[in-house]
Amino acid sequence: MDAPLTISLVAPVYGVEKYISSFAESVLGQSYPHIQFIFVNDGTKDRSIELLNELIDSRFQHLRERITIVGKENGGLPAARRTGMEYVSGDYVWHIDSDDWLEPDAVKRIAECALATGSDLIYFNFYKEYAGRTKLKVEADYRIEDKTKYLKAMYNHRSYGCVWNKCVKTGLYRKYDIRFPQYSYAEDIFLMAQITGYAESIYHLDEALYHYRKDNPQAITRQNRRKRRAEAVRNSLALYELYKDVPSDKCPVSVLFDDIFYRSGLYSLMYGLGLFEEFPYLSDNISRASLHRGGDVWIPMQLLLKLYAFIRRFISRS
């Protein structure tokens, strides 16, 4: 008899004392029986882990052998997710955030989809939860033949590059040695660009399974804007450096490069990030980048960035 399909849930825990109980109830109370639960204590300073253990002892003691709580020094979301991956044993892995919550049958619906389709990447709709209101977010329907279109849509905020509305075959992480970024902001797209690029099958499960909390004042998205932009473009440039020599027929991350250059140049000028000095190749790559519609940086700004890059190159060669 074939072994049942198992899904590993990986959840970093840091500063979520206010939300951990409701989150953990939604996770540990899932209707699907074949789940591995991995909670990564990212050096939290509050009572989050204490409350998590209290909940397990009082209501979910029967799941203890399937629950792993890993302790580590604080290192941010990407490092916590990477640590969690070291303990994953399931057929699929779903990275989730511990200030959000899941629909009661979320894992069951994903498992049914995985069994029916065998897809490398399954993505789904979700709810944005604001103080006092909920907004349904429905993803566009992409298939494997739309891979490059999907990649560009995620990077340019036309689709959602989040890790938490995607469940991925664990073997994909292992086979291609998927990397995690250094910085927390925009860490999702760094990871999902690789996953999507290598995926040989993609399936949109047209159901809302996840509740994304937008009213947590400690969330990364509430950080200083300049800090967020700096982390985002540095993660993007790290993705370029990681894949600049990888052939597009192996993993088409290169379709993002022009967008990465334009956005990095724009944010550097807007927020005084000094990226042109830090990454000397940026001027040359902006000069060579194609003008194109559909990105976050409009064509008039692309032209201005090209002019700025040309002037920098001219001055440096004088």
Side-chain angles (χ1 to χ4, degrees), residues 80-112:
R81 298 196 204 281
R82 182 172 59 246
T83 296
M85 283 299 302
E86 296 173 10
Y87 295 83
V88 166
S89 62
D91 301 291
Y92 281 76
V93 58
W94 183 10
H95 290 281
I96 51 182
D97 289 347
S98 54
D99 55 349
D100 299 328
W101 70 95
L102 316 182
E103 282 288 291
D105 291 331
V107 179
K108 178 183 177 183
R109 296 295 300 123
I110 292 170
E112 290 171 346

Short mmCIF file of all heavy atoms in Angstrom, two decimals, residues 80-112:
data_model
loop_
_atom_site.label_atom_id
_atom_site.label_comp_id
_atom_site.label_asym_id
_atom_site.label_seq_id
_atom_site.Cartn_x
_atom_site.Cartn_y
_atom_site.Cartn_z
N ALA A 80 15.18 31.79 9.10
CA ALA A 80 14.27 30.90 9.84
C ALA A 80 13.64 29.87 8.90
O ALA A 80 13.52 28.69 9.24
CB ALA A 80 13.19 31.72 10.54
N ARG A 81 13.23 30.31 7.72
CA ARG A 81 12.65 29.36 6.75
C ARG A 81 13.71 28.34 6.32
O ARG A 81 13.41 27.14 6.18
CB ARG A 81 12.11 30.11 5.54
CG ARG A 81 10.99 31.09 5.83
CD ARG A 81 10.26 31.48 4.55
NE ARG A 81 9.58 32.75 4.64
CZ ARG A 81 8.40 32.96 5.23
NH1 ARG A 81 7.78 31.97 5.84
NH2 ARG A 81 7.86 34.16 5.24
N ARG A 82 14.92 28.80 6.10
CA ARG A 82 16.01 27.90 5.71
C ARG A 82 16.26 26.86 6.81
O ARG A 82 16.44 25.67 6.52
CB ARG A 82 17.27 28.70 5.42
CG ARG A 82 18.45 27.83 4.97
CD ARG A 82 19.63 28.67 4.51
NE ARG A 82 20.12 29.56 5.53
CZ ARG A 82 20.06 30.89 5.47
NH1 ARG A 82 19.54 31.50 4.43
NH2 ARG A 82 20.54 31.63 6.46
N THR A 83 16.25 27.29 8.05
CA THR A 83 16.41 26.35 9.17
C THR A 83 15.28 25.35 9.18
O THR A 83 15.51 24.14 9.37
CB THR A 83 16.47 27.12 10.50
OG1 THR A 83 17.63 27.96 10.51
CG2 THR A 83 16.53 26.16 11.68
N GLY A 84 14.06 25.82 8.98
CA GLY A 84 12.91 24.92 8.96
C GLY A 84 13.03 23.84 7.90
O GLY A 84 12.65 22.68 8.11
N MET A 85 13.59 24.22 6.73
CA MET A 85 13.74 23.26 5.63
C MET A 85 14.65 22.10 6.01
O MET A 85 14.52 21.00 5.45
CB MET A 85 14.30 23.96 4.39
CG MET A 85 13.30 24.79 3.62
SD MET A 85 11.90 23.84 2.96
CE MET A 85 12.71 22.61 1.95
N GLU A 86 15.55 22.29 6.96
CA GLU A 86 16.45 21.22 7.37
C GLU A 86 15.70 20.08 8.06
O GLU A 86 16.20 18.95 8.14
CB GLU A 86 17.52 21.77 8.31
CG GLU A 86 18.45 22.80 7.67
CD GLU A 86 19.38 23.46 8.68
OE1 GLU A 86 19.43 22.97 9.84
OE2 GLU A 86 20.06 24.44 8.31
N TYR A 87 14.48 20.36 8.52
CA TYR A 87 13.71 19.36 9.26
C TYR A 87 12.54 18.79 8.44
O TYR A 87 11.83 17.91 8.91
CB TYR A 87 13.17 19.98 10.56
CG TYR A 87 14.26 20.36 11.51
CD1 TYR A 87 14.93 21.57 11.38
CD2 TYR A 87 14.65 19.51 12.54
CE1 TYR A 87 15.96 21.93 12.25
CE2 TYR A 87 15.67 19.86 13.43
CZ TYR A 87 16.32 21.07 13.26
OH TYR A 87 17.34 21.40 14.12
N VAL A 88 12.35 19.30 7.24
CA VAL A 88 11.21 18.89 6.42
C VAL A 88 11.37 17.45 5.94
O VAL A 88 12.41 17.07 5.41
CB VAL A 88 11.05 19.84 5.21
CG1 VAL A 88 10.10 19.25 4.17
CG2 VAL A 88 10.55 21.21 5.67
N SER A 89 10.32 16.67 6.12
CA SER A 89 10.30 15.29 5.64
C SER A 89 9.09 15.00 4.76
O SER A 89 8.97 13.88 4.24
CB SER A 89 10.32 14.32 6.83
OG SER A 89 9.16 14.49 7.64
N GLY A 90 8.20 15.96 4.59
CA GLY A 90 6.99 15.74 3.82
C GLY A 90 7.23 15.74 2.31
O GLY A 90 8.28 16.18 1.83
N ASP A 91 6.23 15.28 1.57
CA ASP A 91 6.30 15.29 0.10
C ASP A 91 6.21 16.71 -0.44
O ASP A 91 6.79 17.02 -1.49
CB ASP A 91 5.15 14.44 -0.48
CG ASP A 91 5.20 13.01 0.01
OD1 ASP A 91 6.12 12.28 -0.39
OD2 ASP A 91 4.31 12.62 0.81
N TYR A 92 5.45 17.55 0.24
CA TYR A 92 5.30 18.96 -0.12
C TYR A 92 5.62 19.81 1.10
O TYR A 92 5.50 19.35 2.25
CB TYR A 92 3.87 19.27 -0.57
CG TYR A 92 3.54 18.84 -1.98
CD1 TYR A 92 3.31 17.50 -2.28
CD2 TYR A 92 3.44 19.77 -3.02
CE1 TYR A 92 3.00 17.10 -3.57
CE2 TYR A 92 3.14 19.38 -4.31
CZ TYR A 92 2.91 18.04 -4.59
OH TYR A 92 2.61 17.66 -5.87
N VAL A 93 6.01 21.06 0.85
CA VAL A 93 6.28 21.98 1.95
C VAL A 93 5.51 23.28 1.70
O VAL A 93 5.46 23.78 0.58
CB VAL A 93 7.79 22.24 2.11
CG1 VAL A 93 8.41 22.80 0.84
CG2 VAL A 93 8.08 23.17 3.28
N TRP A 94 4.95 23.80 2.78
CA TRP A 94 4.18 25.05 2.73
C TRP A 94 4.76 25.97 3.80
O TRP A 94 4.68 25.68 4.99
CB TRP A 94 2.71 24.75 2.97
CG TRP A 94 1.80 25.94 2.86
CD1 TRP A 94 2.09 27.19 2.40
CD2 TRP A 94 0.41 25.97 3.24
NE1 TRP A 94 0.98 28.01 2.45
CE2 TRP A 94 -0.07 27.29 2.95
CE3 TRP A 94 -0.48 25.04 3.76
CZ2 TRP A 94 -1.39 27.67 3.20
CZ3 TRP A 94 -1.79 25.42 4.01
CH2 TRP A 94 -2.24 26.73 3.72
N HIS A 95 5.36 27.08 3.38
CA HIS A 95 5.88 28.09 4.30
C HIS A 95 4.76 29.06 4.66
O HIS A 95 4.16 29.68 3.76
CB HIS A 95 7.04 28.85 3.66
CG HIS A 95 8.28 28.03 3.51
ND1 HIS A 95 9.14 27.79 4.55
CD2 HIS A 95 8.81 27.40 2.43
CE1 HIS A 95 10.15 27.04 4.12
NE2 HIS A 95 9.97 26.79 2.84
N ILE A 96 4.51 29.22 5.95
CA ILE A 96 3.43 30.08 6.41
C ILE A 96 3.96 31.03 7.48
O ILE A 96 5.04 30.82 8.04
CB ILE A 96 2.24 29.25 6.96
CG1 ILE A 96 2.74 28.22 7.99
CG2 ILE A 96 1.53 28.54 5.82
CD1 ILE A 96 1.66 27.32 8.55
N ASP A 97 3.20 32.10 7.76
CA ASP A 97 3.63 33.11 8.73
C ASP A 97 2.77 33.02 9.98
O ASP A 97 1.53 32.88 9.90
CB ASP A 97 3.54 34.51 8.12
CG ASP A 97 4.61 34.75 7.07
OD1 ASP A 97 5.56 33.95 6.99
OD2 ASP A 97 4.48 35.74 6.31
N SER A 98 3.40 33.18 11.14
CA SER A 98 2.74 32.88 12.40
C SER A 98 1.87 34.01 12.96
O SER A 98 1.43 33.92 14.11
CB SER A 98 3.78 32.46 13.44
OG SER A 98 4.79 33.43 13.56
N ASP A 99 1.64 35.05 12.18
CA ASP A 99 0.64 36.04 12.59
C ASP A 99 -0.61 35.95 11.70
O ASP A 99 -1.50 36.79 11.80
CB ASP A 99 1.21 37.46 12.57
CG ASP A 99 1.81 37.84 11.23
OD1 ASP A 99 1.98 36.94 10.38
OD2 ASP A 99 2.12 39.03 11.03
N ASP A 100 -0.67 34.93 10.84
CA ASP A 100 -1.81 34.73 9.95
C ASP A 100 -2.62 33.51 10.42
O ASP A 100 -2.44 33.03 11.53
CB ASP A 100 -1.32 34.52 8.51
CG ASP A 100 -0.54 35.72 7.99
OD1 ASP A 100 -0.85 36.86 8.39
OD2 ASP A 100 0.39 35.52 7.18
N TRP A 101 -3.51 33.00 9.57
CA TRP A 101 -4.20 31.76 9.92
C TRP A 101 -4.72 31.07 8.65
O TRP A 101 -4.78 31.68 7.59
CB TRP A 101 -5.31 31.98 10.94
CG TRP A 101 -6.53 32.72 10.51
CD1 TRP A 101 -7.70 32.19 10.07
CD2 TRP A 101 -6.74 34.15 10.54
NE1 TRP A 101 -8.63 33.18 9.82
CE2 TRP A 101 -8.06 34.39 10.09
CE3 TRP A 101 -5.94 35.24 10.88
CZ2 TRP A 101 -8.59 35.68 9.97
CZ3 TRP A 101 -6.47 36.51 10.77
CH2 TRP A 101 -7.76 36.72 10.33
N LEU A 102 -5.08 29.78 8.81
CA LEU A 102 -5.48 28.95 7.68
C LEU A 102 -6.96 28.60 7.76
O LEU A 102 -7.54 28.53 8.84
CB LEU A 102 -4.69 27.63 7.68
CG LEU A 102 -3.19 27.66 7.93
CD1 LEU A 102 -2.62 26.25 7.83
CD2 LEU A 102 -2.49 28.60 6.99
N GLU A 103 -7.53 28.34 6.61
CA GLU A 103 -8.87 27.76 6.56
C GLU A 103 -8.81 26.33 7.13
O GLU A 103 -7.79 25.64 6.98
CB GLU A 103 -9.38 27.71 5.12
CG GLU A 103 -9.87 29.05 4.59
CD GLU A 103 -11.20 29.45 5.21
OE1 GLU A 103 -12.23 28.79 4.91
OE2 GLU A 103 -11.21 30.41 6.00
N PRO A 104 -9.89 25.85 7.77
CA PRO A 104 -9.85 24.55 8.45
C PRO A 104 -9.47 23.37 7.54
O PRO A 104 -8.81 22.43 7.99
CB PRO A 104 -11.27 24.38 8.99
CG PRO A 104 -11.77 25.79 9.14
CD PRO A 104 -11.16 26.56 8.02
N ASP A 105 -9.87 23.41 6.28
CA ASP A 105 -9.58 22.31 5.36
C ASP A 105 -8.48 22.66 4.36
O ASP A 105 -8.36 22.02 3.31
CB ASP A 105 -10.84 21.91 4.59
CG ASP A 105 -11.87 21.24 5.48
OD1 ASP A 105 -11.48 20.60 6.48
OD2 ASP A 105 -13.09 21.36 5.19
N ALA A 106 -7.68 23.67 4.66
CA ALA A 106 -6.69 24.16 3.70
C ALA A 106 -5.72 23.05 3.27
O ALA A 106 -5.51 22.83 2.07
CB ALA A 106 -5.91 25.33 4.29
N VAL A 107 -5.12 22.36 4.22
CA VAL A 107 -4.13 21.34 3.87
C VAL A 107 -4.81 20.17 3.15
O VAL A 107 -4.24 19.61 2.20
CB VAL A 107 -3.38 20.86 5.13
CG1 VAL A 107 -2.37 19.77 4.76
CG2 VAL A 107 -2.67 22.02 5.80
N LYS A 108 -6.00 19.83 3.56
CA LYS A 108 -6.74 18.76 2.88
C LYS A 108 -6.97 19.10 1.42
O LYS A 108 -6.77 18.26 0.53
CB LYS A 108 -8.08 18.53 3.58
CG LYS A 108 -8.95 17.47 2.91
CD LYS A 108 -10.29 17.35 3.62
CE LYS A 108 -11.18 16.33 2.89
NZ LYS A 108 -12.52 16.24 3.53
N ARG A 109 -7.37 20.33 1.14
CA ARG A 109 -7.65 20.72 -0.24
C ARG A 109 -6.36 20.73 -1.07
O ARG A 109 -6.34 20.33 -2.23
CB ARG A 109 -8.29 22.11 -0.27
CG ARG A 109 -9.65 22.16 0.40
CD ARG A 109 -10.70 21.31 -0.33
NE ARG A 109 -10.89 21.77 -1.69
CZ ARG A 109 -10.73 21.01 -2.77
NH1 ARG A 109 -10.30 19.75 -2.67
NH2 ARG A 109 -10.94 21.51 -3.97
N ILE A 110 -5.26 21.18 -0.47
CA ILE A 110 -3.98 21.17 -1.17
C ILE A 110 -3.54 19.73 -1.44
O ILE A 110 -3.07 19.40 -2.54
CB ILE A 110 -2.91 21.93 -0.36
CG1 ILE A 110 -3.24 23.42 -0.32
CG2 ILE A 110 -1.52 21.72 -0.96
CD1 ILE A 110 -2.39 24.20 0.66
N ALA A 111 -3.68 18.86 -0.45
CA ALA A 111 -3.28 17.46 -0.62
C ALA A 111 -4.10 16.78 -1.71
O ALA A 111 -3.56 16.02 -2.53
CB ALA A 111 -3.44 16.72 0.70
N GLU A 112 -5.40 17.05 -1.75
CA GLU A 112 -6.25 16.48 -2.79
C GLU A 112 -5.80 16.95 -4.17
O GLU A 112 -5.76 16.17 -5.13
CB GLU A 112 -7.71 16.86 -2.54
CG GLU A 112 -8.32 16.16 -1.33
CD GLU A 112 -9.70 16.71 -0.96
OE1 GLU A 112 -10.07 17.81 -1.46
OE2 GLU A 112 -10.39 16.07 -0.16
#
